[in-house]
Amino acid sequence: MNLKKYFIPLTALFLLAAWPLSIAAAEPGIIWGGPPQVKQVALTFDDGPSPRCTAKILSLLKQYQARGTFFVLGAHVERYPWLVQAAIRDGNEVGNHSFAHPRLTKSSELSREQELERTALDLEMLGYRPDHLLFRPPFSAYDGRLVAYLAHTHRQMVLWGIDSGDWRGLPPAEIVHNVLDRVRPGAIIIFHDCDEKEQADRRPTVEALKVILPALKAAGYRMVTVSELVAGGDATKRSSSQSESLLKQPVKPRLDPAGKKTISGSL
Ligand SMILES: [Zn+2]
């Protein structure tokens, strides 16, 4: 019997079967969404701020009484601090998305820490010291070392349940479709208000939000920050442990375990 020809399919089957277990068991500090019984969602915006569209997004959020969570790059915070200040002033939340958007699973320990700490310092210099320090890894690439470092520094990793797909350069109608067809209570939705090179055109994101925000509002969704979402509408929980109300992996995320740059653009 030629066992070799069964080896690859059997290994693949084993890995597929073990995948959900490994995520659920090994990653206790990762936020994927909020409680599904509360009709609210968290809109998140990565890679900014950007003078080309962050202000437009802030104005749309305000128009529809929504608050968002901005996962910023330190390099952009240093260039456009007033945009971060405007986001905070409007009641939005700000999280750390590294300094220059490297793949942290490929970085040395020192440069990984510098990426996180320089951005944290940039935000502190703006007077931003939230109760909960949120972090979203570039390219959604993370490993045990990163998870351990975040736990050690009292930070929480935030991923998402719904990808708007705006980073692929989709037209507004497709971004709208990606969000509204999948939206559900407790979802964290990922958008982008810039990219790491400041080259991407995010006008489709802004145009899509002009449809998504009123539609979610009309459907009865509250649009809240990640911390509010995780607290499940209970303000007293905001200052207690977020991990109590964490919900893990409502939707299979797009991970990059092999470290390959599978798709151009960024997450
Ligand atoms: Zn990103």
Side-chain angles (χ1 to χ4, degrees):
M1 184 177 165
N2 182 3
L3 283 176
K4 212 172 170 182
K5 73 176 176 185
Y6 295 107
F7 180 73
I8 291 174
L10 279 174
T11 306
L13 263 179
F14 173 77
L15 287 175
L16 273 176
W19 191 86
L21 273 179
S22 63
I23 292 288
E27 299 168 341
I30 301 176
I31 299 171
W32 300 89
Q37 63 272 28
V38 186
K39 199 162 185 187
Q40 50 189 16
V41 291
L43 311 181
T44 65
F45 302 90
D46 288 12
D47 300 350
S50 152
R52 287 202 285 177
C53 76
T54 302
K56 288 182 190 136
I57 291 173
L58 290 177
S59 150
L60 281 167
L61 291 174
K62 202 186 240 182
Q63 185 181 343
Y64 293 101
Q65 294 83 48
R67 282 187 296 276
T69 302
F70 291 81
F71 287 96
V72 295
L73 295 176
H76 296 177
V77 175
E78 291 184 8
R79 249 172 262 159
Y80 316 113
W82 63 91
L83 289 170
V84 181
Q85 286 167 320
I88 296 166
R89 211 166 35 234
D90 288 352
N92 298 288
E93 187 163 33
V94 178
N96 187 334
H97 192 41
S98 81
F99 186 82
H101 211 279
R103 191 175 296 279
L104 294 175
T105 50
K106 302 281 181 192
S107 304
S108 70
E109 199 168 331
L110 180 63
S111 70
R112 192 177 63 233
E113 290 180 16
Q114 284 172 339
E115 283 284 334
L116 268 80
E117 301 309 335
R118 183 165 170 186
T119 301
L121 196 60
D122 287 333
L123 293 174
E124 267 193 41
M125 303 256 288
L126 296 177
Y128 190 64
R129 293 181 190 83
D131 291 343
H132 298 294
L133 299 163
L134 304 181
F135 177 78
R136 176 172 279 165
F139 306 105
S140 68
Y142 62 92
D143 55 17
R145 292 181 317 157
L146 181 59
V147 171
Y149 183 72
L150 293 174
H152 179 67
T153 53
H154 307 290
R155 295 182 171 108
Q156 285 187 302
M157 193 189 297
V158 179
L159 294 174
W160 62 88
I162 297 175
D163 179 5
S164 71
D166 62 348
W167 54 280
R168 291 194 204 106
L170 298 178
E174 282 189 50
I175 298 171
V176 170
H177 168 83
N178 284 343
V179 173
L180 296 185
D181 278 16
R182 298 178 204 162
V183 71
R184 62 187 178 278
I188 294 177
I189 308 169
I190 181 172
F191 298 93
H192 294 77
D193 56 335
C194 192
D195 70 332
E196 70 268 33
K197 293 180 184 144
E198 294 198 68
Q199 286 173 353
D201 179 5
R202 297 298 183 213
R203 279 174 298 183
T205 304
V206 174
E207 291 308 307
L209 285 169
K210 290 177 184 171
V211 178
I212 291 168
L213 289 168
L216 289 178
K217 193 166 183 231
Y221 280 98
R222 288 183 72 226
M223 292 168 270
V224 298
T225 64
V226 168
S227 287
E228 288 170 317
L229 184 85
V230 168
D234 179 354
T236 59
K237 274 194 188 169
R238 282 190 72 182
S239 56
S240 64
S241 169
Q242 285 184 329
S243 58
E244 288 168 12
S245 51
L246 297 189
L247 292 178
K248 297 189 205 69
Q249 59 166 42
V251 165
K252 185 174 174 179
R254 171 190 165 278
L255 295 178
D256 183 19
K260 288 181 200 150
K261 187 160 184 171
T262 46
I263 309 166
S264 63
S266 57
L267 274 175

